[in-house]
Amino acid sequence: MKKFCIAGFGEVMLRLSPPGGKRFAQVLPGTLESSFGGGEANVCASIAMLGGRSRYLTALPDNPVARAFAAQLRGIGCDVSHIRYTPTGRMGVYYAEHGSNMRGSNVIYDREGSVISRLGAAEYDFPAMLDGVTHLHLSGITPSLSRSAFEVTLALAEKASETGISVSVDINYRKKLWAWEPGTAKSELARRCMDRIVRYADIIVGNEEDASDVFGITAPDTEVESGKLNVAGYRSVAAELSAKFPRSRFVAITLRESVSANCNNWGGMLYDCAVQEAYFAPLDDAGEYSPYAITDIVDRFGGGDSFCAGLLFALNTPELCAPATAIRFAAASSALKHTVATDYNFTSRAEVENLMRGSVSGRVQR
């Protein structure tokens, strides 16, 4: 198998959070903890930490904050040499307040007018960005920012397809975004735009709500808000997505049951479109789906991105690429992300494989 290099294109933001799980009203004026986060950046960082080759593609202002982000990602092992810097503009910001028990987490976006939302396709060097890349990862977040960001994402997907680079798309619907066409409902704008992007996807990824929110494809007998999922019903969701987008080879869906903000049941499904077979993970000793019971969640932001990263890494690694193994790796990797603060999944391949083997005790490694 050719040595892979996975590139991700999208917006990265400065993340600001109250320390110690406090609320904004408790700490402001005062101190917020800073880090960086963004769907595609999270994927690239995680792939690098798992031991794979990744390249992050974005547009940022040429200032010390943006350069600090690039230095951090470079230090993790991700190629940042093709970031597009501009002399003016801004980096987006998001404020993340962690929930607890019955109080959910909350995100406040401050990203309007960011550099990546303003640049057009002509201002990027697509051939150089994709040189040496074997796979391109995109999401539904970046095209939700502006018409220009949508057009760039679509053009990059088209270019990758033309040059034989495989593409994955995380549907990733954000109801607080998709506001750039006044008079059009957000879900309708998302459907129209994502329909054009996802048609280039070899791998489609979504959470338990995305297909319903964007394409109106729902799992029967499922109530996401109450945490009740009919897991078996997601086979039909994947089959419908596969039929709608016939280029797709795999459809992957994360399965989160929210017991509370601190306690989630977590797993995933991978649907092989060619053989119309669904694989679930994790499984119990009888081979039945049995999700990870994640209690005392440290940070759930980036959970879906770590799933994408684990899946892409596994599918591009010979000893992990069988669908049943790849979904086990993706589910284990993303389960571990819930134990790690900030957006990035600071988890190694060895730690993921230990969890896959059943090591869940959390004993000290000496």
Side-chain angles (χ1 to χ4, degrees), residues 9-312:
F9 171 79
E11 183 180 37
V12 68
M13 295 169 287
L14 178 67
R15 167 178 151 174
L16 299 174
S17 300
K22 293 181 179 179
R23 309 206 70 181
F24 292 119
Q26 292 177 276
V27 299
L28 294 176
T31 300
L32 296 173
E33 294 178 338
S34 65
S35 58
F36 297 105
E40 303 85 359
N42 299 343
V43 169
C44 290
S46 183
I47 287 170
M49 286 182 279
L50 289 169
R53 291 177 61 218
S54 65
R55 175 183 298 170
Y56 184 55
L57 308 171
T58 193
L60 290 168
D62 191 0
N63 64 35
V65 177
R67 293 288 182 176
F69 157 74
Q72 183 196 33
L73 210 57
R74 185 186 305 112
I76 289 170
C78 179
D79 176 8
V80 294
S81 62
H82 294 273
I83 291 177
R84 170 78 160 85
Y85 291 100
T86 63
T88 60
R90 61 169 301 216
M91 185 181 200
V93 178
Y94 89 94
Y95 300 85
E97 182 182 77
H98 290 285
S100 180
N101 291 292
M102 69 288 297
R103 175 174 60 83
S105 298
N106 186 36
V107 169
I108 301 171
Y109 292 122
D110 177 19
R111 57 203 302 181
E112 186 173 355
S114 62
V115 170
I116 200 170
S117 70
R118 295 190 295 105
L119 296 188
E123 297 175 88
Y124 292 92
D125 186 348
F126 287 167
M129 291 162 65
L130 295 174
D131 183 40
V133 169
T134 59
H135 184 91
L136 174 67
H137 180 68
L138 305 168
S139 86
I141 298 177
T142 299
S144 73
L145 302 177
S146 67
R147 185 180 301 278
S148 293
F150 158 64
E151 291 172 348
V152 171
T153 304
L154 177 60
L156 191 56
E158 292 172 342
K159 184 65 176 180
S161 178
E162 289 171 4
T163 53
I165 296 170
S166 59
V167 176
S168 56
V169 178
D170 187 348
I171 300 171
N172 237 338
Y173 180 69
R174 296 289 185 266
K175 63 185 178 182
K176 291 186 178 181
L177 302 176
W178 290 108
W180 52 262
E181 189 171 274
T184 302
K186 293 181 177 183
S187 58
E188 169 57 24
L189 181 59
R191 184 205 59 76
R192 195 176 76 220
C193 293
M194 293 306 294
D195 186 86
R196 297 181 65 187
I197 292 171
V198 177
R199 69 181 62 179
Y200 292 101
D202 299 274
I203 303 170
I204 303 171
V205 184
N207 67 19
E208 61 284 341
E209 295 180 280
D210 287 332
S212 175
D213 289 338
V214 178
F215 298 117
I217 301 172
T218 59
D221 301 320
T222 284
E223 298 175 8
V224 173
E225 288 297 325
S226 66
K228 177 190 175 186
L229 300 185
N230 172 22
V231 171
Y234 284 93
R235 286 188 178 92
S236 65
V237 171
E240 286 192 58
L241 283 170
S242 174
K244 181 175 177 62
F245 300 105
R247 178 189 171 113
S248 59
R249 295 187 296 115
F250 294 103
V251 177
I253 299 176
T254 58
L255 302 171
R256 183 190 298 276
E257 296 174 302
S258 294
V259 180
S260 73
N262 307 89
C263 178
N264 289 179
N265 294 325
W266 178 263
M269 183 202 73
L270 181 63
Y271 183 80
D272 187 330
C273 302
V275 298
Q276 299 181 346
E277 181 73 28
Y279 302 87
F280 292 85
L283 305 177
D284 60 21
D285 292 339
E288 298 296 323
Y289 176 68
S290 179
Y292 292 111
I294 309 175
T295 59
D296 303 311
I297 291 173
V298 173
D299 194 327
R300 62 159 285 178
F301 293 107
D305 303 323
S306 62
F307 176 87
C308 288
L311 180 66
L312 296 178

